[in-house]
Amino acid sequence: GEVPGRLFELPKLNVLTLHGNRLHGTLPPELATAPGLFFFSAHSNRLAGPIPSLNLHKDCVDDESFVRAGLTCSTFPLVESTLSHTPCRDSEVALHCPKTCKICGTASARGPVLLLHDNRLSCSLPEEVTNWPQDMRSISLVGNMLGNGTRELPQWIHSDEHQPFLYVSGNTANQIFRRMVLLASMCALCGL
């Protein structure tokens, strides 16, 4: 099926993982208006067309792998009344559990995540996907045909993602195809 645009109207939608669901069609333009989306994963599908403008937000989440004295971020509040001190006063707990400790405004919140690798996305890319490009936690676009060949890729794409074979414009693809046909013709004439 296709990604329904109405999905992005949900006011408390923060994390959306749609990877590996055989989705097809394009990413809906409503994706740009999702009010609180900070983690969007739709990799390993059959999505095509351009990536629409996005407005991924910073998130404030607890580190679910953090454990202190057998307690996790989600269990600290349950036992807080039995402890001799408030766990959130411990700097390490506050660092790993900013949401539980209600310090998202002062904690270094984690940046947005965009995972769209292994699709059929193509065309030019939006100039911005977030107001916090320097804080992007993860971007993966490998396995798509992105870029239009007429200008540099947007700054939100990390330099590790700049692989020439991933960003082939239509003109470049036509040139490559013509050269391959010419080479095959020459090989046929030479008897190779």
Side-chain angles (χ1 to χ4, degrees), residues 168-192:
V168 179
S169 69
N171 291 338
T172 304
N174 286 336
Q175 289 175 355
I176 292 170
F177 178 72
R178 282 191 227 126
R179 288 179 185 164
M180 289 174 57
V181 169
L182 179 62
L183 182 61
S185 301
M186 290 172 58
C187 288
L189 289 174
C190 294
L192 295 175

Side-chain angles (χ1 to χ4, degrees), residues 115-136:
L115 305 174
L116 294 173
H117 54 279
D118 297 328
N119 276 294
R120 298 174 182 165
L121 298 167
S122 60
C123 304
S124 59
L125 296 159
E127 282 302 314
E128 291 187 10
V129 294
T130 180
N131 290 327
W132 302 277
Q134 69 280 2
D135 294 331
M136 284 296 289

Side-chain angles (χ1 to χ4, degrees), residues 39 56 111-115 135-140:
F39 187 106
L56 295 176
V113 174
L114 178 64
L115 305 174
D135 294 331
M136 284 296 289
R137 184 172 29 170
S138 181
I139 296 174
S140 181

